[in-house]
Amino acid sequence: MKVGVATLETLHGGPPSVDLTYHLPTAKSAIVFSLPLDREIIRRYLGKESIHARAEHEVDNFETTIRCFQLATKIRKHLKNKGFEAREIFTNFNYRDFDIKGIFIPYPDISLKYLAASSGVGSFGWSGVLGIKDFGTAFMLGGLTTSAPLEPTKPIPPEENFCDKCKICVNVCAFRMFDDKEEFQVNLGEETFNYSKRNDVLRCEIVCGGYSGLDKTKKWSTWSPARYEFPKNKEETINTLAKAFRFKPNFLVEGEDGGFKKKNYLKDPDIAQFMKENPNVWRLIKSLKISCGNCQLVCRGNHEETLQNFNLLKNSGVIIRQRNGRTKILHPDEMDEADELHIPQKKTLKEWIAGILIKRALTQEKTIKFSKF
Ligand code: SF4
Ligand code: SF4
C-alpha cells in the first residue's frame, strides 16, 4: 500500500526503539511498508455480527502479519544479493524485556510505528495509531533494517494528516487508555510528532490482553467475557491487573470458529526459523486470542465512516459467560441478564503468588513512568 525509508539521520534523537543498530549493528536505513486489513471484515467484528466475526478478523489479521514478514524477507534476500546486510522486523510481539516488568510494560525491539511516521508511510492519529487519509488506521506495518545507505522519504505533511481529532478512538477503549486532552510529543530527527498522552499503558494490557472486556459505560464489551470494574487511578489499575492476571476465561463463544491456526506461521521456512530464534515471540503468538484492537480498527480516516464503525461497536452488545460456563453474545435488548453474569474468581496458590509479584514489580517507581519507547 505505502512504502518509506527511514535512516539513522531521520531518526536521530528519537527514543531507544528507533535505534536501528540495536536491531542490526551495521544498519544505516530501514524500509517500512503497510499492508491493508479487510475493512468490511472489521465492520462485522466491531458489530459482533455473528459468532464467527472474530475468527474472520483474526485470520485476516494474522495472515496480513505473515505477508508483511514474507515481503520483508523478499527484500532482505534481494539486498543480500546486492551485497548488503538486512534483517526483517517482525510486526508486533517482539519486545526487549521478558522479565516480569517487560511482560506488562513491553518495550518494542524496534518501533515500526515511529519508523513509519518518520518516513511518511502514515501519520499519527490522536490515538497514536498510524493512519492514512480516506483509509484510516486499519493496516499492518512491516519492514526491515539494512546496511544499505538508502535515500530517506519525508513524513506526511500536517495538512495531509487523516486525523480530525474527533476522539472517537478515546471512547472505543473500554478502560480509556488515551487522554482526551493532553498530548505527548516525540522528536525524530528534525521532526516533532504529537499524539494523545497515555493515561496508563496497563489499561491496554488489561483490556487488549483479554483480562477485562466491559466498557466504562457498561453498554458494550470487547470480545472478552472477563469483567473488572473500571479502574479510576493508577493504584486501581495495578490492583486490577494483579487480580486479573491468569484469570483468562474461556475466550471462545460457544460454537465459534477457532480462528487463525497458529501453526500456519511455521509453514514458511523463513518464519519457522525466525520463531526458532525468537521463542518468546512464538510463545506470545501461540497464546494470543484477539479480543480488542478497537483503537486501530474503528478509524476510517473519514468522519462519517468512523462514526458508523463506532455506532456498530456501541450497539454490538456484550460477550458474557453464563453461570453454566457457556459464553455467548448478548445483544443490547437482552442486556438486563448481564448483571448476573461473572467470571469465576477462584485462584490457585501459583496465581495468588503471581498476583503479589506483579503488583510489587509494577509499583516500583522506575516502572511506573512510561517512557517514549
Ligand atoms: S478516531 Fe481517527 S480521526 Fe478520530 S481522533 Fe481518533 S485517530 Fe483521529
Ligand atoms: S487495543 Fe483496545 S485496550 Fe488497547 S488501547 Fe486500543 S482500544 Fe484500548
Side-chain angles (χ1 to χ4, degrees), residues 31-289:
I31 300 171
V32 198
F33 53 82
S34 59
L35 292 181
L37 292 169
D38 187 317
R39 299 189 307 162
E40 290 316 303
I41 288 179
I42 285 171
R43 288 211 147 153
R44 295 199 278 278
Y45 170 84
L46 290 172
K48 301 188 186 71
E49 203 172 278
S50 84
I51 56 172
H52 305 303
R54 181 248 298 267
E56 212 186 353
H57 167 59
E58 196 175 85
V59 170
D60 180 47
N61 190 304
F62 279 107
E63 285 185 348
T64 308
T65 304
I66 289 180
R67 282 201 298 280
C68 284
F69 190 89
Q70 289 171 328
L71 183 53
T73 301
K74 275 192 188 153
I75 304 170
R76 191 230 329 137
K77 289 179 178 172
H78 175 75
L79 286 165
K80 198 175 166 207
N81 286 339
K82 301 271 177 201
F84 297 108
E85 283 189 66
R87 184 176 171 217
E88 299 92 333
I89 303 168
F90 198 80
T91 308
N92 219 336
F93 315 119
N94 211 356
Y95 302 110
R96 293 191 181 199
D97 299 314
F98 271 89
D99 58 7
I100 197 163
K101 176 186 79 176
I103 290 170
F104 294 108
I105 309 182
Y107 298 137
D109 192 6
I110 190 117
S111 168
L112 275 166
K113 181 173 88 168
Y114 286 153
L115 271 46
S118 158
S119 60
V121 172
S123 53
F124 285 112
W126 181 256
S127 60
V129 180
L130 285 219
I132 298 170
K133 215 170 188 175
D134 293 324
F135 185 83
T137 51
F139 54 81
M140 305 300 272
L141 294 170
L144 65 161
T145 49
T146 175
S147 59
L150 303 173
E151 194 61 37
T153 51
K154 290 192 185 330
I156 293 177
E159 62 277 15
E160 286 297 313
N161 193 313
F162 72 100
C163 177
D164 63 1
K165 294 202 167 67
C166 67
K167 315 272 173 85
I168 285 175
C169 48
V170 171
N171 294 308
V172 300
C173 182
F175 273 9
R176 305 296 188 269
M177 184 177 90
F178 313 117
D179 199 277
D180 62 355
K181 293 185 188 66
E182 280 189 61
E183 285 191 328
F184 177 83
Q185 199 174 71
V186 64
N187 297 314
L188 300 172
E190 301 298 309
E191 307 286 338
T192 300
F193 300 89
N194 297 293
Y195 52 88
S196 65
K197 181 183 139 246
R198 273 71 184 114
N199 287 327
D200 192 331
V201 287
L202 295 179
R203 289 176 180 268
C204 174
E205 191 67 47
I206 295 167
V207 176
C208 196
Y211 301 116
S212 194
L214 193 63
D215 181 59
K216 184 184 180 187
T217 60
K218 303 194 174 178
K219 301 256 191 266
W220 56 268
S221 81
T222 67
W223 278 80
S224 169
R227 296 287 180 268
Y228 284 92
E229 283 294 317
F230 180 83
K232 291 191 276 305
N233 51 40
K234 178 90 205 168
E235 197 187 347
E236 286 187 15
T237 308
I238 292 175
N239 284 339
T240 302
L241 185 58
K243 267 193 278 178
F245 181 59
R246 297 179 64 90
F247 276 134
K248 280 208 176 185
N250 175 10
F251 271 110
L252 289 184
V253 173
E254 195 175 8
E256 179 182 353
D257 285 346
F260 183 74
K261 293 193 179 37
K262 310 290 169 50
K263 286 197 172 150
N264 286 356
Y265 269 101
L266 307 179
K267 285 183 183 163
D268 181 312
D270 290 307
I271 299 184
Q273 181 62 28
F274 174 87
M275 294 303 172
K276 205 169 156 194
E277 290 164 6
N278 297 275
N280 284 327
V281 177
W282 184 229
R283 204 174 312 136
L284 270 181
I285 288 175
K286 274 198 298 184
S287 64
L288 189 81
K289 194 83 206 137

Side-chain angles (χ1 to χ4, degrees), residues 324-338:
N324 61 13
R326 291 179 170 169
T327 304
K328 69 172 193 172
I329 299 174
L330 200 68
H331 295 289
D333 53 354
E334 311 166 292
M335 295 260 293
D336 48 345
E337 281 180 48

